[in-house]
Amino acid sequence: MMKLNNNNHNLTFYLLIVPVLTWLLFMIVIPHAELLISSFQIEDDMGGMVFSMNNYIEFFTQKIYWLTFVKTATYSIVVTLLAFIVAFPVAFYLTKVASKRSASFLMLLLLIPLWVGELVTVYGWMVLLGDHGVINHLLMTIGVINTPLNLLYTDFSMVVGLLYMSVLFMVIPIMSTLETLDDSLIEAACDLGATKWAIFTRIIIPYSMPGIVTGSIIVFMLVIGDYLAPNLLGGKSSLWFTEQIYNNFLTTFNWNEGAAFGFLLLMLSSGIIWIALKLSGQKLEKVGS
């Protein structure tokens, strides 16, 4: 009987793991391996593909490329910080202040943006921020301004759109961490005369740090790899690195350089996350636990 149970356990394990491994192999490993090989190739005078580092050298020698990446990374970090500032009070209220019924309803409202999709959300912000949009119309109606404000196709509109679409991914990891925080720790600190600031900085923030780091990684990677929001809300003046990757693949059809830029985005963004983990004192295997 014991042997039969072990065989059933092994069969169940293989039935579950084989589809996952197959998916990873054919949808992630093989395509990325092909792109990695392609990134080290260029077309010679005879039309054949030869090994070369030129696609990577091009990134560092052309000022427009690495400046665009620096801008993309900087704005991604800014959006991540803003997401934390917005998300933490929301997460704390939903887990420690609001009743379970109210928290469930408010959480449902937070999930609504995910239902409509990114494209519809971006166009919604374009309607709000346009020269003849809702915000400008309201401000002109109440007499605050006489001419429309230039809100759309700016870095401001791009940041607002990215923040709106990513803040939920900061709220959920922080909520999952704060839910395990024992309220008696806060009550004990209050009884001992600790100030609200001391409780916040010495108990709440350190305890919720794994959730904060998890949310920050998710938001940062989503923002730095986004294409729609920077392209539609930022306009032509707001260059984003993913747009250069898109142009290489689908405009100039330079797949080799596009593949190189894609892997550079992956490596450089991963390096930024590694630095952030070192500065925060967190370990990747403990993040989100």
Side-chain angles (χ1 to χ4, degrees):
M1 182 63 70
M2 181 67 70
K3 185 176 182 181
L4 182 61
N5 288 336
N6 288 335
N7 290 335
N8 290 334
H9 177 76
N10 292 334
L11 179 61
T12 303
F13 173 77
Y14 287 117
L15 287 175
L16 292 174
I17 198 66
V18 168
V20 176
L21 293 178
T22 303
W23 172 269
L24 291 174
L25 179 64
F26 287 99
M27 300 302 295
I28 297 179
V29 176
I30 293 178
H32 280 75
E34 181 67 24
L35 284 175
L36 180 62
I37 294 172
S38 178
S39 69
F40 287 102
Q41 294 178 334
I42 62 171
E43 188 174 345
D44 60 14
D45 296 336
M46 303 298 294
M49 289 296 175
V50 295
F51 176 84
S52 175
M53 293 289 294
N54 285 356
N55 295 319
Y56 290 93
I57 295 174
E58 187 78 6
F59 170 82
F60 294 102
T61 56
Q62 295 295 325
K63 189 176 180 180
I64 184 65
Y65 292 143
W66 59 265
L67 280 181
T68 301
F69 178 82
V70 169
K71 177 186 176 181
T72 302
T74 302
Y75 274 93
S76 298
I77 294 172
V78 170
V79 172
T80 303
L81 291 174
L82 291 175
F84 165 71
I85 294 171
V86 173
F88 195 90
V90 174
F92 187 84
Y93 178 82
L94 292 176
T95 53
K96 298 301 179 184
V97 180
S99 63
K100 290 185 177 180
R101 186 173 181 178
S102 299
S104 299
F105 175 73
L106 293 173
M107 194 64 198
L108 181 65
L109 294 180
L110 290 174
L111 290 171
I112 289 177
L114 294 180
W115 298 354
V116 297
E118 183 179 4
L119 183 60
V120 177
T121 302
V122 168
Y123 277 118
W125 276 106
M126 292 178 72
V127 171
L128 286 172
L129 299 174
D131 290 345
H132 302 286
V134 176
I135 295 177
N136 271 315
H137 178 74
L138 177 63
L139 293 176
M140 292 179 68
T141 300
I142 62 179
V144 176
I145 57 175
N146 296 321
T147 58
L149 297 175
N150 184 26
L151 299 176
L152 191 58
Y153 305 128
T154 61
D155 290 338
F156 167 78
S157 61
M158 180 183 67
V159 169
V160 168
L162 289 170
L163 176 62
Y164 178 80
M165 288 179 291
S166 61
V167 69
L168 179 62
F169 297 97
M170 181 72 77
V171 172
I172 294 176
I174 296 177
M175 283 184 61
S176 65
T177 306
L178 287 175
E179 284 176 348
T180 62
L181 174 61
D182 191 349
D183 294 340
S184 62
L185 292 175
I186 299 176
E187 294 172 359
C190 291
D191 294 338
L192 293 172
T195 62
K196 292 181 179 180
W197 178 250
I199 295 173
F200 178 73
T201 56
R202 296 189 180 185
I203 297 177
I204 299 176
I205 288 294
Y207 189 90
S208 57
M209 188 58 70
I212 294 172
V213 174
T214 301
S216 298
I217 292 174
I218 296 172
V219 170
F220 177 78
M221 294 304 292
L222 285 174
V223 171
I224 202 171
D226 202 324
Y227 173 76
L228 278 177
N231 190 41
L232 295 179
L233 292 175
K236 295 181 179 179
S237 61
S238 299
L239 291 177
W240 207 252
F241 195 66
T242 50
E243 186 177 353
Q244 293 183 337
I245 297 174
Y246 173 89
N247 290 335
N248 276 319
F249 276 110
L250 299 178
T251 302
T252 62
F253 297 103
N254 190 347
W255 280 53
N256 304 103
E257 188 170 279
F261 283 15
F263 276 96
L264 281 169
L265 177 64
L266 176 62
M267 290 185 292
L268 294 172
S269 58
S270 299
I272 293 173
I273 290 175
W274 180 81
I275 293 172
L277 288 172
K278 290 295 183 181
L279 292 176
S280 63
Q282 296 293 307
K283 294 183 179 180
L284 190 60
E285 59 270 17
K286 294 183 179 180
V287 170
S289 60

